[in-house]
Amino acid sequence: MSELAALSARLRAFAAARKWEPFHTPKNLAMALAGEAGEVLAELQWLSDAEIAEGLADGELKQRLADEAADVFLYLMQLADASGIDLLAAAHAKMDRNEVRFPV
Amino acid sequence: MSELAALSARLRAFAAARKWEPFHTPKNLAMALAGEAGEVLAELQWLSDAEIAEGLADGELKQRLADEAADVFLYLMQLADASGIDLLAAAHAKMDRNEVRFPV
Amino acid sequence: MSELAALSARLRAFAAARKWEPFHTPKNLAMALAGEAGEVLAELQWLSDAEIAEGLADGELKQRLADEAADVFLYLMQLADASGIDLLAAAHAKMDRNEVRFPV
Amino acid sequence: MSELAALSARLRAFAAARKWEPFHTPKNLAMALAGEAGEVLAELQWLSDAEIAEGLADGELKQRLADEAADVFLYLMQLADASGIDLLAAAHAKMDRNEVRFPV
């Protein structure tokens, strides 16, 4: 099983065991996704690029940012799953179009 | 190469060929990520759950939502890359904690 | 009538004339609000602070940013209205708490 | 002084007294705005419309939502101020255009 399919399966089992599926509509998951993207912003909003580079090297900011990025990823995977979207295929299809749209 | 590493490599080559790396700071990428999460919301905001289910079955809404979800994914991968974050490891680490935090 | 009450009244009449009230649930309006906040981000995400200052002075960026900020404001007013929230009172109450929380 | 001008003045004095102006660039304030819009989403994302109506009537959800909406408002006012935007004029100008764009 691919690494994305395995993560999706883990998320599906987690939600099923807690009977959370009724809450996991595309609409609710899209809201959760955007809420977590907002938490990513909150980690970086008052810092300069130099302070961010330093904080990432120190490790503490990197850990917090990794946690928030993980939350975005987990909701994105669940949104894709609830909507019947193959996220990896969609990403490569978008890159195919971007390569045409933005020639070197 | 794993599917996520391959996508990251494609994104890195794409940005390098266009000399876009200077723009791809963690701060700017976090803004782009949240902006794309907002576009996911915009696809769903005026629809009921029933209308979303119908739209996903029809295929047109599914295509638009897949495009927006792909954009979120692409910026998330680039944010992780620019910040030295292993997104898959961070996601599983978060799930490990969630399993403790929310017992069945 | 105060300027905020007048804007709220204009928004209410606009939605009523188009029979849009059924769509204007707090949930949908919160999604629209966050989507428009994402469009504010999109105007600024690839620009440095110096480029933003220049763009605001030139007027073109300022016009686009004003449009997006207006959209955020309009959905925020409608969310407050649909939720029975007095936005101005809530803002001053928050400032009262902030003055205690962050002493000079 | 109008109610919006008075709130702007309060925000400006608050930031000045704490020497926070250097952090209040349009870019940083846009991030903070979108982050707070994400917190509005987080209050509503797992609730049905009926549960939201009930929570707003009970008062507790209304208080939390008012707090988050206030945060969005405060950052929106500060973004407008830092960018030289007259938010009320921009909102009415947008409504003028919307009335043409969406005829009754």
Side-chain angles (χ1 to χ4, degrees), chain A residues 7-9 13 18 24 26 33 42 45-46 55 63-65 75 80 90 98-99 102:
Chain A
L7 180 57
S8 254
R18 284 152 189 83
H24 287 187
L33 170 71
Q45 66 200 12
W46 305 127
Q63 182 56 50
R64 290 204 312 273
L65 190 61
Y75 282 122
N98 282 347
E99 282 166 358
F102 303 103

Side-chain angles (χ1 to χ4, degrees), chain A residues 2-4 10 17-18 27 45 47 62 67 70-71 84 88 90 92 94-97 99 102 104, chain B residues 2-4 10 17-18 27 45 47 62 67 70-71 73 84 88 90 92 94-97 99 102 104:
Chain A
S2 81
E3 55 194 355
L4 284 174
R10 185 175 186 185
R18 284 152 189 83
K27 194 157 177 158
Q45 66 200 12
L47 304 177
K62 189 169 165 175
D67 279 356
D71 282 333
L88 191 70
H92 279 293
K94 190 63 180 263
M95 287 302 291
D96 292 344
R97 292 201 302 281
E99 282 166 358
F102 303 103
V104 175
Chain B
S2 81
E3 55 194 355
L4 284 174
R10 185 176 185 182
R18 285 152 188 82
K27 193 157 177 157
Q45 66 201 13
L47 304 177
K62 188 166 162 178
D67 280 355
D71 281 333
F73 191 30
L88 190 70
H92 279 293
K94 190 62 180 266
M95 287 302 291
D96 291 345
R97 292 202 302 280
E99 283 167 357
F102 303 104
V104 175

Side-chain angles (χ1 to χ4, degrees), chain B residues 29-50:
Chain B
L29 291 166
M31 293 175 79
L33 170 71
E36 295 297 339
E39 297 202 27
V40 168
L41 291 174
E43 290 298 336
L44 305 178
Q45 66 201 13
W46 305 126
L47 304 177
S48 69
D49 289 335

Side-chain angles (χ1 to χ4, degrees), chain C residues 83-94:
Chain C
S83 308
I85 290 169
D86 180 334
L87 199 57
L88 191 70
H92 280 293
K94 190 63 179 265

Side-chain angles (χ1 to χ4, degrees), chain C residues 2-5 7 10-11 14 17-18 20 25-27 30-31 33-34 37 40-41 44-45 47 49 52 56 62 65-67 69-74 76 79 83-85 87-88 90-92 94-99 102-104, chain D residues 2-5 7 10-11 14 17-18 20 25-27 30-31 33-34 37 40-41 44-45 47 49 52 56 62 65-67 69-74 76 79 83-85 87-88 90-92 94-99 102-104:
Chain C
S2 82
E3 56 193 354
L4 285 173
L7 181 58
R10 185 175 185 183
L11 284 162
F14 181 85
R18 285 152 189 82
W20 286 357
T25 61
K27 192 156 176 158
M31 294 175 79
L33 170 72
V40 167
L41 291 174
L44 304 178
Q45 67 201 13
L47 304 176
D49 289 336
I52 291 168
L56 290 172
K62 187 168 164 176
L65 190 60
D67 279 356
D71 281 333
V72 173
F73 191 30
L74 294 174
L76 182 64
L79 172 62
S83 308
I85 290 169
L87 199 57
L88 191 70
H92 280 293
K94 190 63 179 265
M95 287 302 292
D96 291 345
R97 292 202 301 280
N98 281 347
E99 283 167 357
F102 304 103
V104 175
Chain D
S2 82
E3 56 194 353
L4 284 174
L7 181 58
R10 185 175 185 183
L11 283 162
F14 182 84
R18 285 153 188 82
W20 287 357
T25 61
K27 193 158 177 157
M31 295 174 78
L33 171 71
V40 168
L41 291 174
L44 304 178
Q45 66 200 10
L47 304 177
D49 289 336
I52 291 169
L56 291 172
K62 189 168 163 177
L65 190 61
D67 280 357
D71 282 333
V72 173
F73 192 29
L74 295 173
L76 181 63
L79 172 62
S83 308
I85 290 169
L87 198 58
L88 190 70
H92 279 294
K94 190 62 180 265
M95 287 303 289
D96 291 344
R97 292 201 302 280
N98 281 347
E99 282 167 357
F102 303 104
V104 175

